[in-house]
């Protein structure tokens, strides 16, 4: 593995960039692994990376039916934040934000983490009360978040329309300055490179057809397009397809898979300094380093595995953006796409053990998984290695749907994560 | 935009008229006090989340307001048929071979 540095960049520039080596090999499956991770997105690759670096387990395969990072890792709007209401969620997501701070240095791979701040706008009295409650709750949990007046919002994000006569007047906002964005592809690539350098096999274009179990019920391995692969432990991290993969092991999950759409505009010069979210009108927006406005839409209301999504949602999103940011109302949109999100009833993830011995699942991230990538991967690796949950993910069990100890961020956030 | 056939109004209309209402044919337990926590979890939360042919409920929210059932392919999003709530599951073989009314 080439170590990236100013020196290696200079050296390769002088030799015409002809001598860069491949960042990870295109591995073929071996007959047996200690751990097989299903799904080569950020969460799965990250779990492999932390298993290798922190738990000394390197005989790992990460298997994906498509290409690396081609699922929701490459389809989200790259927003990172941790201003969640409940204690459990605040700990989980802030753990992730902690890891984001030095991720580029740790991976020796520029994930372009930019803590440009996430501003959540309040448009009515209820929003104001709800967001102030979030600010107080976050501060009690040691999570960065503070309240801004209307004028302070305008100062922080100049393109904002704060006219009192606008359809959705801005009555203030909650600002998390530690929050921001990152380059989503680079997260998957960085973890893949780091994991592969320590002996992890990243196997692409190889669908897992079924999880095979021993007579005693424990996991035996996985049947794939390239034949059966034996494994001591299997960890499933397959986003929208978790229900289908886990069903082959006889485990039913409280998930519904729905398309979540996003779109980008034509690239323009830097105009938009932060991330702005408006839950009430359901618009969220940031500007990528390429100059495109990155706009997130909502999920379709029905179960679907078609990575397209319906146009009514795009229409709704674009009209909301035009209302909150009138300066964008003549911008042309370049393209839109969708990823399949797996949503739990309480909109909190499930990270942990399953009723099947040696089978683990990391699912239910719904519309908010990207921000959690490092934290999720870190606690999932812990859970796999030690066969018990890390204190941070201990509340996020599958069993909470039986006991009723839900972590109801659906009610707390009401909308986009 | 999905076009959905309401079996009560007998009209095929845009999805904006409708609200999705989850997986179909999940019956509420007849004797709630005798049901275990596992069975409640199964009834309330566990879903088949099928990739392929899916039985689901819709409500004609901005029309007659009534609930009905539908059979839809969750990959192509095409409706195979819609039918009144309370009716038995339609036979899949006939549906797949002969697209029914409303299967647009």
């Amino acid at each position: 593995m080439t170590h990236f540095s100013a020196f290696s960049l200079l050296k390769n520039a002088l030799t015409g960039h002809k001598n860069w080596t491949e960042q990870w090999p295109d591995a073929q499956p071996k007959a047996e692994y200690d751990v097989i991770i299903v799904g080569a997105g950020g969460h799965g690759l990250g779990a492999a990376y932390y298993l290798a670096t922190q738990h000394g387990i390197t005989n790992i395969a990460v298997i994906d039916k498509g290409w690396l990072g081609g699922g929701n890792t490459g389809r989200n709007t790259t927003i990172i934040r941790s201003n969640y209401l409940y204690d459990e969620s605040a700990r989980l997501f802030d753990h992730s934000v902690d890891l984001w701070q030095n991720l580029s240095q740790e991976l020796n791979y520029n994930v372009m983490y930019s803590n440009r701040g996430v501003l959540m706008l309040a448009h009515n009295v209820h929003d104001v009360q709800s967001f102030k409650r979030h600010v107080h709750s976050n501060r009690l949990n040691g999570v960065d978040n503070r309240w801004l007046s209307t004028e302070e919002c305008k100062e922080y994000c100049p393109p904002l329309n704060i006219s009192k006569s606008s359809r959705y007047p801005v009555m203030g906002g909650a600002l998390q300055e530690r929050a921001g964005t990152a380059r989503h592809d680079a997260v998957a690539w960085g973890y893949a490179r780091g994991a592969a350098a320590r002996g992890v096999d990243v196997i692409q274009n190889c669908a897992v057809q079924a999880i095979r179990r021993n007579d005693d019920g424990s996991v035996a391995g996985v049947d794939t397009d390239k034949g059966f692969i034996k494994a001591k432990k299997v960890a499933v991290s397959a986003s929208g397809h978790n229900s289908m993969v886990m069903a082959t092991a006889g485990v039913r999950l409280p998930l519904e898979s729905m398309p979540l759409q996003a779109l980008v505009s034509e690239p323009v010069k830097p105009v938009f300094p932060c991330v702005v979210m408006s839950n009430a009108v359901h618009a969220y927006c940031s500007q990528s380093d390429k100059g495109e406005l990155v706009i997130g839409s909502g999920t379709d209301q029905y179960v679907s595995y078609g990575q397209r999504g319906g146009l009514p949602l795009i229409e709704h999103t674009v009209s909301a953006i035009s209302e909150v940011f009138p300066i964008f109302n003549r911008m042309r949109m370049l393209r839109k796409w969708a990823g399949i999100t797996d949503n739990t009833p309480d909109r909190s993830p499930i990270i942990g053990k399953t009723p099947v011995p040696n089978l683990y699942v990391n699912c239910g991230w719904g519309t908010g998984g990207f921000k959690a990538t490092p934290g999720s991967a870190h606690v999932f690796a812990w859970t796999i290695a030690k066969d018990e949950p890390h204190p941070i993910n201990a509340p996020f069990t599958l069993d909470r749907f039986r006991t009723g100890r839900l972590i109801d961020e659906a009610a707390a956030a009401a909308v986009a994560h | 935009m999905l076009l959905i056939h309401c079996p009560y109004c007998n009209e095929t209309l845009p999805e904006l008229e409708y609200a999705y209402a989850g997986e179909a044919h999940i019956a509420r337990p007849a004797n709630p006090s005798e049901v275990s926590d596992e069975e409640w979890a199964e009834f309330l939360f566990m879903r088949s989340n099928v990739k392929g042919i899916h039985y689901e409920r819709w409500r004609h929210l901005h029309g007659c307001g009534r609930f009905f059932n539908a059979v839809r392919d969750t990959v192509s999003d095409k409706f195979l048929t819609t039918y009144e709530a309370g009716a038995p599951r339609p036979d899949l073989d006939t549906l797949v071979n002969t697209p029914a009314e409303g299967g647009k």
Side-chain angles (χ1 to χ4, degrees):
Chain A
M1 181 176 88
T2 315
H3 184 80
F4 293 130
S5 63
F7 176 72
S8 70
L9 190 63
L10 181 66
K11 193 178 88 181
N12 281 282
L14 294 174
T15 52
H17 292 296
K18 286 174 187 158
N19 300 317
W20 289 109
T21 52
E22 65 175 5
Q23 298 190 26
W24 60 85
D26 194 17
Q28 292 303 311
K30 293 190 284 196
E32 185 180 351
Y33 290 95
D34 290 340
V35 178
I36 287 178
I37 296 173
V38 183
H43 291 238
L45 292 164
Y49 174 81
Y50 290 116
L51 278 169
T53 54
Q54 301 194 349
H55 303 284
I57 301 171
T58 55
N59 186 22
I60 304 173
V62 186
I63 305 179
D64 201 286
K65 76 182 168 93
W67 66 94
L68 185 157
N72 292 348
T73 298
R75 291 166 189 269
N76 60 77
T77 50
T78 78
I79 298 171
I80 295 163
R81 62 184 179 88
S82 61
N83 49 356
Y84 282 72
L85 181 65
Y86 293 120
D87 297 353
E88 297 88 346
S89 316
R91 274 197 291 275
L92 177 62
F93 288 98
D94 215 41
H95 177 52
S96 201
V97 170
D98 285 343
L99 292 174
W100 277 111
Q101 307 300 321
N102 290 317
L103 194 61
S104 293
Q105 288 78 5
E106 161 148 15
L107 296 176
N108 179 232
Y109 206 94
N110 189 1
V111 300
M112 296 164 77
Y113 172 66
S114 152
N115 55 341
R116 60 185 66 183
V118 169
L119 177 62
M120 300 180 94
L121 299 178
H123 296 290
N124 51 52
V125 174
H126 175 79
D127 277 356
V128 173
Q129 292 171 341
S130 165
F131 287 173
K132 282 188 174 172
R133 184 184 173 210
H134 273 73
V135 169
H136 295 316
S137 165
N138 286 160
R139 294 177 79 95
L140 286 171
N141 275 319
V143 174
D144 165 46
N145 201 359
R146 68 186 170 97
W147 180 256
L148 297 190
S149 69
T150 305
E151 290 70 29
E152 288 169 328
C153 288
K154 176 76 178 172
E155 198 177 320
Y156 197 79
C157 183
L160 204 57
N161 174 22
I162 58 164
S163 156
K164 285 198 167 56
S165 61
S166 72
R167 187 171 170 195
Y168 306 110
V170 175
M171 296 176 71
L175 172 67
Q176 187 175 31
E177 284 175 290
R178 222 171 150 231
T181 59
R183 169 97 199 270
H184 49 6
D185 298 320
V187 178
W189 298 338
Y191 275 129
R193 174 169 166 272
R198 291 163 177 86
V200 173
D201 284 351
V202 181
I203 301 161
Q204 305 179 68
N205 299 310
C206 175
V208 168
Q209 294 152 353
I211 295 167
R212 211 189 276 185
R213 294 170 67 178
N214 294 316
D215 293 338
D216 66 358
S218 63
V219 155
V222 294
D223 287 305
T224 73
D225 291 349
K226 295 180 177 172
F228 176 69
I229 311 172
K230 206 171 162 207
K232 294 195 180 80
K233 294 179 174 179
V234 173
V236 178
S237 187
S239 67
H241 286 73
N242 280 316
S243 292
M244 306 311 296
V245 175
M246 293 296 286
T248 64
V251 178
R252 272 168 68 79
L253 295 171
L255 298 177
E256 288 191 297
S257 293
M258 290 157 178
L260 173 67
Q261 296 179 81
L263 62 159
V264 292
S265 72
E266 59 192 346
V268 291
K269 291 204 169 173
V271 287
F272 204 74
C274 59
V275 181
V276 173
M277 307 182 66
S278 168
N279 285 0
V281 297
H282 205 173
Y284 47 109
C285 182
S286 63
Q287 188 174 20
S288 73
D289 291 350
K290 275 191 286 183
E292 303 157 329
L293 289 181
V294 182
I295 299 169
S297 185
T299 54
D300 278 305
Q301 50 176 337
Y302 46 86
V303 168
S304 176
Y305 288 81
Q307 287 174 320
R308 301 173 300 270
L311 278 173
L313 281 161
I314 294 293
E315 191 181 351
H316 172 77
T317 301
V318 170
S319 64
I321 291 286
S322 305
E323 200 67 56
V324 181
F325 305 105
I327 64 163
F328 295 144
N329 68 10
R330 292 189 186 189
M331 276 185 87
R332 283 165 294 196
M333 295 299 141
L334 270 190
R335 59 182 187 276
K336 66 125 189 145
W337 63 92
I340 304 303
T341 61
D342 52 336
N343 299 276
T344 54
D346 62 0
R347 295 296 187 272
S348 288
I350 300 164
I351 319 162
K353 300 170 70 168
T354 68
V356 177
N358 301 329
L359 178 65
Y360 307 86
V361 73
N362 184 1
C363 69
W365 287 97
T367 59
F370 175 73
K371 67 172 82 68
T373 304
S376 153
H378 178 256
V379 297
F380 194 39
W382 173 294
T383 307
I384 298 164
K386 299 185 188 294
D387 196 36
E388 64 179 68
H390 187 282
I392 288 176
N393 68 313
F396 295 88
T397 59
L398 177 55
D399 197 45
R400 73 176 186 268
F401 295 96
R402 183 184 63 82
T403 61
R405 294 188 69 84
L406 303 182
I407 303 160
D408 200 356
E409 289 292 344
V415 69
H417 279 248
Chain B
M1 171 90 72
L2 301 181
L3 290 175
I4 305 174
H5 185 82
C6 173
Y8 300 107
C9 301
N10 204 21
E11 277 188 282
T12 303
L13 299 159
E15 70 177 273
L16 290 175
E17 290 223 1
Y18 298 86
Y20 181 70
E23 191 175 342
H25 301 290
I26 297 176
R28 187 179 171 80
N31 303 310
S33 57
E34 291 165 23
V35 171
S36 69
D37 288 355
E38 283 75 15
E39 287 163 318
W40 273 122
E42 180 66 29
F43 164 72
L44 287 169
F45 300 125
M46 300 301 163
R47 296 294 177 260
S48 52
N49 199 21
V50 175
K51 183 179 187 179
I53 305 295
H54 189 236
Y55 293 88
E56 62 195 21
R57 299 194 309 156
W58 286 82
R59 186 179 175 209
H60 194 180
L61 188 65
H62 301 296
C64 63
R66 299 178 76 179
F67 284 88
F68 59 90
N69 291 341
V71 187
R72 185 174 54 91
D73 184 328
T74 59
V75 179
S76 68
D77 288 335
K78 279 188 177 164
F79 283 87
L80 300 181
T81 190
T82 58
Y83 53 101
E84 295 183 6
R89 284 173 195 255
D91 180 41
L92 264 190
D93 290 339
T94 17
L95 279 181
V96 173
N97 296 326
T98 51
E101 190 186 357
K104 291 178 181 172

